[in-house]
Amino acid sequence: MTLACSRPLGRFLDRFLAALALCAGATLSPAWAGLGMTRLPASGDDGPVTVFYPSDAAERPVWAGWQPVPLATDAPPAAGNGRLVVLSHGSGGTPWVHLDLARRLTEAGFVVALPQHRGDHAGDPGTPGPESWSRRPGEVRRAIDAVLADGRWPGLDARRVGLWGLSAGGHTALELAGGRWSPARFAEHCRQHIAEDFAACVGLYAELTGGPLDGLKRWLAPRALDSRFGSDTTWRHERDERIAAVVAVVPLAADFDPASLQRPAVPLGLVNAAQDRWLLPAWHGLRVLQGCTGCEDLATLPDGGHGAMLSPPPPVGGLAGRLLADPPGFDRAATVPAVEQRTVAFFQRHLLR
């Protein structure tokens, strides 16, 4: 998602005033205390890895994307629970839209790592789709390597790593849970279902508006995708045996072989949003859930949209804003923390044993 220049003034002022209070030495609420953050440097073709972790150090306001955030930057780690969870962001994403989940996980003792997915993040959105999806599992694997090799978290258990992914990150999560997919299957899905699942196939390049050009868009898009990806039938099915539990949130999933996700290699939790306009659940996350034996329905949000679990939500406009916006009736303040807590509990059950 590309961040818009405009900011919702009320939310911005609230966070800015909170940051000023921190500067003035205000007492931190225990629920917000102790979030350490550091960046592991880029290596080769991989971008940096943002790491959040428990810390006893005092937090200070840091400008993070579009808002001031209280963090203990580069502070010494505190003792945690010895487990690592990797978060895989969606297309055009940043670490900051997953800050609230990262805080909840670190409050439970987890170290949290967010690799920057090349060609598919806010600073470089140039190659979303199958090109990025093919790279992402390797980027997750090398992020795990980098955190485990860093001397600041010597007690992490390399055999029980968690993975959480949203949207394109959910696609990554499904592959690393044992699924297999191919670019040709993505192109085939879009040939068959372009009218119903246009946003999943085209992303932010175009939208159906009900105008006279919609027919041309529906005709052209699947042909362009078929030309680019239709001949690539090679299965992608990378696994990392260190990953012991996976959560996929509003995942792109129509290009997976359904049989490969009937019995995932590890415990798999799913979060779906019934009002998702970007990835229609019937073709993606709900399809996986309905065909899976043993998958856990962490949440199916009846009023949620594609951006429901972005927290804090980014200030975006245009097509991205329309696809990510909360639908009418969605109670973000009540729903998101509850789902985040279920996510923490899922990783506690499957990793702390």
Side-chain angles (χ1 to χ4, degrees):
M1 63 203 70
T2 302
L3 299 183
C5 293
S6 61
R7 298 169 178 156
L9 185 57
R11 187 171 68 231
F12 169 76
L13 288 176
D14 287 343
R15 292 183 181 274
F16 184 68
L17 292 172
L20 289 179
L22 281 173
C23 289
T27 300
L28 288 169
S29 166
W32 286 84
L35 182 60
M37 188 277 286
T38 193
R39 284 275 182 96
L40 304 185
S43 176
D45 290 333
D46 292 339
V49 180
T50 302
V51 184
F52 298 102
Y53 54 91
S55 177
D56 294 327
E59 296 178 342
R60 296 289 184 267
V62 175
W63 196 262
W66 67 94
Q67 60 189 341
V69 173
L71 296 170
T73 306
D74 294 321
N81 63 20
R83 300 295 188 272
L84 169 66
V85 175
V86 178
L87 308 186
S88 178
H89 65 72
S91 289
T94 78
W96 312 119
V97 295
H98 305 302
L99 188 64
D100 292 342
L101 175 60
R103 187 176 288 274
R104 286 186 181 276
L105 286 164
T106 60
E107 287 172 348
F110 292 98
V111 174
V112 179
L114 291 93
Q116 179 178 276
H117 293 300
R118 177 163 58 95
D120 201 16
H121 62 89
D124 176 16
T127 53
E131 291 178 58
S132 171
W133 305 340
S134 297
R135 291 191 294 260
R136 281 166 166 262
E139 292 167 340
V140 168
R141 174 171 45 80
R142 291 186 292 275
I144 296 171
D145 292 342
V147 174
L148 293 177
D150 193 290
R152 284 170 284 186
W153 304 283
L156 291 178
D157 188 342
R159 301 164 301 170
R160 305 206 66 77
V161 176
L163 173 62
W164 180 101
L166 180 142
S167 192
H171 189 280
T172 308
L174 292 177
E175 180 176 350
L176 286 164
R180 67 174 191 169
W181 67 280
S182 75
R185 283 186 65 90
F186 175 64
E188 175 63 22
H189 169 74
C190 293
R191 277 198 303 271
Q192 294 184 13
H193 303 292
I194 190 64
E196 308 101 302
D197 210 17
F198 187 85
C201 296
V202 177
L204 300 180
Y205 291 108
E207 66 178 319
L208 299 179
T209 64
L213 295 179
D214 281 3
L216 177 61
K217 295 173 188 176
R218 286 192 293 264
W219 179 87
L220 185 59
R223 285 160 177 78
L225 291 169
D226 193 52
S227 173
R228 190 166 183 182
F229 303 116
S231 63
D232 189 349
T233 59
T234 302
W235 290 115
R236 272 72 162 169
H237 51 90
E238 185 166 344
R239 272 280 295 138
D240 187 318
E241 296 301 323
R242 298 171 295 185
I243 295 175
V246 170
V247 174
V249 180
V250 291
L252 191 143
D255 54 356
F256 279 88
D257 172 10
S260 69
L261 288 168
Q262 285 181 347
R263 291 177 174 80
V266 295
L268 174 60
L270 289 146
V271 176
N272 287 292
Q275 305 306 315
D276 192 336
R277 296 178 54 214
W278 200 328
L279 301 174
L280 296 185
W283 298 114
H284 299 281
L286 282 179
R287 174 175 170 266
V288 174
L289 181 63
Q290 291 162 358
C292 176
T293 300
C295 285
E296 185 169 339
D297 183 7
L298 287 179
T300 298
L301 309 176
D303 299 319
H306 191 70
M309 296 310 298
L310 300 178
S311 183
V316 294
L319 176 55
R322 291 190 288 277
L323 291 173
L324 293 173
D326 291 341
F330 180 64
D331 188 347
R332 171 172 286 274
T335 302
V336 174
V339 178
E340 290 174 344
Q341 195 53 54
R342 286 181 219 165
T343 301
V344 173
F346 176 88
F347 285 125
Q348 289 173 321
R349 285 198 308 275
H350 295 295
L351 299 180
L352 299 180
R353 60 182 186 183

XYZ file of all heavy atoms in Angstrom, residues 31-95:
461
model
N 0.815 -1.586 29.710
C 0.501 -2.298 28.479
C 1.330 -1.816 27.305
O 1.427 -2.496 26.294
C -0.978 -2.152 28.153
N 1.931 -0.613 27.449
C 2.714 -0.061 26.353
C 4.205 -0.021 26.673
O 4.997 0.492 25.897
C 2.227 1.357 26.037
C 0.919 1.350 25.324
C -0.306 1.260 25.879
C 0.708 1.416 23.922
N -1.270 1.269 24.909
C -0.673 1.371 23.681
C 1.556 1.518 22.818
C -1.233 1.416 22.421
C 0.992 1.573 21.554
C -0.381 1.511 21.369
N 4.593 -0.497 27.826
C 5.985 -0.403 28.233
C 6.803 -1.546 27.654
O 6.319 -2.661 27.499
C 6.075 -0.426 29.753
N 8.061 -1.240 27.350
C 9.016 -2.295 27.069
C 9.052 -2.833 25.663
O 9.395 -3.997 25.477
N 8.724 -2.038 24.645
C 8.817 -2.528 23.268
C 10.156 -2.093 22.677
O 10.341 -0.942 22.282
C 7.664 -1.991 22.419
C 7.658 -2.488 20.953
C 7.553 -4.011 20.896
C 6.522 -1.860 20.170
N 11.089 -3.025 22.632
C 12.365 -2.761 21.993
C 12.249 -2.900 20.489
O 11.417 -3.649 19.974
N 13.081 -2.154 19.762
C 13.071 -2.225 18.302
C 14.478 -1.979 17.768
O 15.193 -1.116 18.259
C 12.111 -1.181 17.724
C 11.888 -1.295 16.204
S 13.165 -0.501 15.168
C 12.746 1.230 15.420
N 14.864 -2.786 16.781
C 16.123 -2.563 16.094
C 15.961 -2.985 14.643
O 14.965 -3.622 14.272
C 17.275 -3.334 16.767
O 18.519 -2.855 16.268
C 17.162 -4.839 16.520
N 16.920 -2.625 13.819
C 16.928 -3.026 12.418
C 18.188 -3.840 12.145
O 19.304 -3.375 12.409
C 16.925 -1.799 11.504
C 15.581 -1.101 11.389
C 14.712 -1.758 10.331
N 13.437 -1.075 10.177
C 13.196 -0.147 9.253
N 14.171 0.237 8.442
N 12.016 0.399 9.151
N 18.021 -5.031 11.619
C 19.153 -5.795 11.115
C 19.411 -5.322 9.689
O 18.468 -5.150 8.909
C 18.859 -7.290 11.147
C 18.457 -7.871 12.508
C 18.316 -9.385 12.423
C 19.445 -7.483 13.587
N 20.654 -5.096 9.311
C 20.933 -4.450 8.023
C 20.592 -5.330 6.834
O 20.510 -6.561 6.934
C 22.446 -4.183 8.090
C 22.960 -5.193 9.062
C 21.883 -5.387 10.083
N 20.386 -4.667 5.700
C 20.178 -5.385 4.439
C 21.393 -6.249 4.138
O 22.529 -5.925 4.513
C 19.931 -4.391 3.314
N 21.148 -7.348 3.430
C 22.231 -8.262 3.091
C 21.982 -8.824 1.698
O 20.926 -9.411 1.440
C 22.308 -9.406 4.103
O 23.296 -10.345 3.749
N 22.928 -8.625 0.795
C 22.736 -9.083 -0.576
C 21.532 -8.409 -1.199
O 21.409 -7.184 -1.164
N 20.628 -9.202 -1.772
C 19.406 -8.657 -2.369
C 18.296 -8.443 -1.351
O 17.254 -7.874 -1.684
C 18.904 -9.591 -3.468
C 19.802 -9.596 -4.699
O 20.472 -8.568 -4.931
O 19.844 -10.621 -5.405
N 18.483 -8.919 -0.132
C 17.448 -8.798 0.890
C 17.497 -7.436 1.557
O 18.578 -6.876 1.793
C 17.619 -9.875 1.958
C 17.341 -11.271 1.429
O 16.657 -11.387 0.398
O 17.811 -12.241 2.052
N 16.329 -6.921 1.890
C 16.249 -5.663 2.616
C 16.489 -5.852 4.091
O 16.772 -6.968 4.566
N 16.381 -4.789 4.864
C 16.576 -4.887 6.314
C 15.445 -5.692 6.969
O 14.370 -5.873 6.407
C 16.555 -3.431 6.772
C 15.745 -2.728 5.730
C 16.045 -3.416 4.431
N 15.733 -6.158 8.161
C 14.748 -6.882 8.973
C 14.489 -6.051 10.224
O 15.416 -5.752 10.982
C 15.246 -8.284 9.360
C 14.202 -9.005 10.213
C 15.572 -9.113 8.114
N 13.242 -5.644 10.428
C 12.862 -4.912 11.633
C 12.535 -5.917 12.720
O 11.765 -6.854 12.495
C 11.654 -4.013 11.363
O 11.966 -3.099 10.301
C 11.272 -3.213 12.597
N 13.132 -5.741 13.897
C 12.935 -6.682 14.998
C 12.369 -5.937 16.203
O 12.904 -4.911 16.624
C 14.263 -7.377 15.387
C 14.002 -8.439 16.468
C 14.923 -8.016 14.174
N 11.257 -6.445 16.731
C 10.675 -5.963 17.982
C 10.898 -7.035 19.045
O 10.841 -8.238 18.744
C 9.177 -5.698 17.819
C 8.858 -4.629 16.816
C 8.408 -4.954 15.538
C 8.995 -3.290 17.142
C 8.106 -3.967 14.610
C 8.692 -2.288 16.218
C 8.259 -2.635 14.950
N 11.095 -6.599 20.296
C 11.436 -7.554 21.341
C 11.150 -6.947 22.710
O 11.081 -5.714 22.860
C 12.913 -7.953 21.232
C 13.859 -6.774 21.219
C 14.395 -6.266 22.398
C 14.194 -6.148 20.013
C 15.252 -5.170 22.394
C 15.047 -5.051 20.001
C 15.569 -4.571 21.185
O 16.408 -3.486 21.178
N 10.982 -7.798 23.728
C 10.778 -7.266 25.078
C 12.033 -6.547 25.564
O 13.157 -7.007 25.326
C 10.517 -8.527 25.916
C 10.193 -9.606 24.941
C 10.912 -9.271 23.691
N 11.828 -5.427 26.247
C 12.943 -4.671 26.813
C 12.476 -3.965 28.076
O 11.319 -3.545 28.181
C 13.457 -3.642 25.807
O 14.493 -2.856 26.375
N 13.399 -3.844 29.023
C 13.106 -3.103 30.240
C 13.499 -1.632 30.127
O 13.298 -0.856 31.066
C 13.869 -3.716 31.424
C 13.376 -5.124 31.753
O 12.166 -5.383 31.577
O 14.199 -5.958 32.177
N 14.036 -1.246 28.988
C 14.497 0.132 28.810
C 13.314 1.075 28.617
O 12.229 0.679 28.159
C 15.432 0.220 27.614
N 13.543 2.348 28.939
C 12.499 3.358 28.751
C 12.259 3.593 27.268
O 13.196 3.596 26.464
C 12.926 4.658 29.424
N 10.996 3.792 26.925
C 10.637 4.098 25.545
C 10.747 5.595 25.288
O 10.543 6.412 26.188
C 9.220 3.609 25.238
C 9.077 2.098 25.320
C 7.658 1.630 25.059
O 6.734 2.471 25.161
O 7.463 0.442 24.747
N 11.042 5.923 24.045
C 11.093 7.307 23.598
C 10.348 7.398 22.264
O 10.306 6.431 21.506
C 12.545 7.762 23.394
C 13.372 7.775 24.674
C 12.930 8.905 25.598
N 13.772 8.990 26.792
C 13.504 8.393 27.943
N 12.415 7.650 28.043
N 14.308 8.517 28.979
N 9.752 8.561 21.956
C 9.009 8.671 20.692
C 9.929 8.612 19.489
O 10.975 9.263 19.443
C 8.328 10.040 20.805
C 9.174 10.805 21.764
C 9.705 9.807 22.742
N 9.550 7.802 18.524
C 10.269 7.638 17.260
C 9.275 7.872 16.136
O 8.147 7.360 16.174
C 10.877 6.224 17.152
C 11.530 6.013 15.795
C 11.878 5.980 18.274
N 9.677 8.629 15.133
C 8.772 8.846 13.999
C 8.785 7.595 13.119
O 9.813 7.224 12.566
C 9.190 10.073 13.189
C 8.075 10.519 12.303
C 7.907 10.232 10.990
C 6.955 11.312 12.686
N 6.748 10.788 10.525
C 6.136 11.467 11.550
C 6.554 11.907 13.881
C 4.954 12.188 11.572
C 5.371 12.623 13.898
C 4.589 12.761 12.748
N 7.642 6.939 13.039
C 7.543 5.656 12.357
C 6.523 5.771 11.232
O 5.326 5.658 11.463
C 7.130 4.570 13.345
N 6.995 6.011 10.024
C 6.120 6.105 8.867
C 5.359 7.404 8.835
O 5.770 8.377 8.211
N 4.228 7.476 9.524
C 3.380 8.671 9.494
C 2.979 9.115 10.903
O 2.101 9.950 11.074
C 2.117 8.378 8.677
C 1.205 7.374 9.328
C 0.134 7.643 10.140
C 1.289 5.951 9.266
N -0.448 6.473 10.582
C 0.234 5.409 10.051
C 2.149 5.059 8.617
C 0.038 4.049 10.207
C 1.951 3.697 8.772
C 0.900 3.206 9.558
N 3.649 8.588 11.934
C 3.193 8.836 13.284
C 4.352 8.689 14.265
O 5.289 7.942 14.017
C 2.099 7.831 13.657
C 2.627 6.396 13.588
C 1.538 5.372 13.733
O 0.458 5.690 14.222
N 1.809 4.145 13.347
N 4.294 9.394 15.393
C 5.259 9.137 16.457
C 4.846 7.913 17.253
O 3.675 7.737 17.587
C 5.198 10.415 17.299
C 3.816 10.935 17.089
C 3.389 10.508 15.705
N 5.811 7.057 17.562
C 5.544 5.801 18.247
C 6.527 5.661 19.407
O 7.727 5.899 19.221
C 5.702 4.606 17.286
C 5.602 3.290 18.034
C 4.655 4.664 16.185
N 6.063 5.281 20.603
C 6.984 5.043 21.710
C 7.711 3.713 21.545
O 7.086 2.650 21.492
C 6.064 5.036 22.939
C 4.723 4.653 22.417
C 4.645 5.159 21.010
N 9.031 3.757 21.473
C 9.864 2.572 21.277
C 11.150 2.704 22.083
O 11.634 3.815 22.320
C 10.228 2.391 19.800
C 9.114 2.114 18.808
C 9.635 2.217 17.385
C 8.511 0.734 19.052
N 11.699 1.578 22.457
C 13.028 1.531 23.062
C 14.004 1.103 21.962
O 14.298 -0.077 21.784
C 13.051 0.558 24.231
N 14.472 2.070 21.193
C 15.254 1.779 19.997
C 16.652 1.296 20.358
O 17.367 1.957 21.131
C 15.349 3.037 19.121
O 14.024 3.526 18.869
C 16.028 2.722 17.800
N 17.021 0.144 19.797
C 18.347 -0.457 20.008
C 18.652 -0.683 21.491
O 19.819 -0.698 21.897
C 19.441 0.398 19.364
C 19.335 0.431 17.848
O 19.015 -0.619 17.263
O 19.547 1.501 17.261
N 17.623 -0.868 22.293
C 17.811 -1.090 23.726
C 18.186 -2.549 23.990
O 17.911 -3.441 23.173
C 16.527 -0.746 24.472
N 18.787 -2.826 25.144
C 19.094 -4.221 25.493
C 17.812 -5.037 25.631
O 16.824 -4.556 26.191
C 19.815 -4.095 26.840
C 20.294 -2.682 26.899
C 19.291 -1.870 26.142
N 17.802 -6.265 25.150
C 16.609 -7.109 25.300
C 16.409 -7.549 26.743
O 17.376 -7.717 27.502
C 16.908 -8.321 24.407
C 18.029 -7.899 23.527
C 18.821 -6.902 24.301
N 15.154 -7.739 27.111
C 14.803 -8.387 28.366
C 14.551 -9.867 28.096
O 14.386 -10.288 26.945
C 13.564 -7.737 28.970
N 14.518 -10.633 29.146
C 14.241 -12.060 28.994
C 12.827 -12.254 28.448
O 11.875 -11.641 28.932
C 14.390 -12.765 30.328
N 12.703 -13.087 27.428
C 11.399 -13.385 26.848
C 11.061 -14.851 27.025
O 11.516 -15.499 27.962
N 10.249 -15.373 26.101
C 9.841 -16.772 26.214
C 10.666 -17.706 25.330
O 10.356 -18.887 25.226
C 8.343 -16.928 25.911
C 7.988 -16.539 24.484
O 8.825 -16.494 23.596
N 6.707 -16.234 24.260
N 11.694 -17.161 24.644
C 12.573 -18.008 23.857
C 12.039 -18.398 22.492
O 12.561 -19.329 21.866
N 11.032 -17.674 21.993
C 10.451 -18.022 20.694
C 10.433 -16.792 19.770
O 10.265 -15.658 20.225
C 9.021 -18.537 20.857
C 8.901 -19.768 21.729
C 9.583 -20.996 21.131
N 9.288 -22.188 21.897
C 9.991 -22.618 22.942
N 11.042 -21.915 23.346
N 9.650 -23.716 23.591
N 10.569 -17.071 18.498
C 10.565 -16.057 17.447
C 9.315 -16.213 16.599
O 8.941 -17.343 16.229
C 11.812 -16.219 16.566
C 11.871 -15.416 15.251
C 11.955 -13.923 15.536
C 13.066 -15.883 14.415
N 8.667 -15.090 16.263
C 7.556 -15.069 15.308
C 7.912 -14.084 14.198
O 8.283 -12.936 14.473
C 6.233 -14.648 15.972
C 5.119 -14.519 14.922
C 5.821 -15.658 17.050
N 7.809 -14.529 12.956
C 8.067 -13.682 11.787
C 6.735 -13.186 11.250
O 5.783 -13.969 11.112
C 8.829 -14.453 10.698
C 9.054 -13.572 9.467
C 10.167 -14.956 11.233
N 6.652 -11.886 10.951
C 5.465 -11.296 10.328
C 5.809 -10.944 8.889
O 6.767 -10.216 8.628
C 5.021 -10.032 11.069
C 4.812 -10.118 12.583
C 4.230 -8.798 13.107
C 3.921 -11.285 12.963
N 5.012 -11.430 7.931
C 5.221 -11.158 6.504
C 4.171 -10.154 6.047
O 2.964 -10.459 6.034
C 5.112 -12.454 5.693
O 5.267 -12.211 4.313
N 4.617 -8.954 5.682
C 3.699 -7.876 5.332
C 3.045 -8.105 3.970
O 3.519 -8.884 3.146
C 4.415 -6.522 5.368
C 5.504 -6.353 4.335
N 5.250 -6.195 2.991
C 6.859 -6.292 4.463
C 6.384 -6.053 2.322
N 7.379 -6.114 3.195
N 1.972 -7.377 3.724
C 1.283 -7.441 2.449
C 1.958 -6.583 1.395
O 2.978 -5.928 1.645
N 1.401 -6.562 0.195
C 1.966 -5.780 -0.896
C 2.013 -4.306 -0.521
O 1.026 -3.734 -0.051
C 1.137 -5.951 -2.175
O 1.309 -7.244 -2.703
N 3.169 -3.685 -0.745
C 3.332 -2.281 -0.426
C 3.369 -1.980 1.047
O 3.179 -0.844 1.465
N 3.641 -2.985 1.879
C 3.531 -2.830 3.314
C 4.751 -2.217 3.983
O 5.786 -1.962 3.360
N 4.609 -1.978 5.271
C 5.677 -1.479 6.132
C 5.559 -2.194 7.473
O 4.514 -2.782 7.781
C 5.567 0.034 6.390
O 4.547 0.273 7.369
C 5.237 0.805 5.122
N 6.607 -2.143 8.311
C 6.465 -2.729 9.653
C 5.428 -2.028 10.513
O 4.859 -2.636 11.422
C 7.869 -2.560 10.259
C 8.784 -2.360 9.112
C 7.973 -1.661 8.062
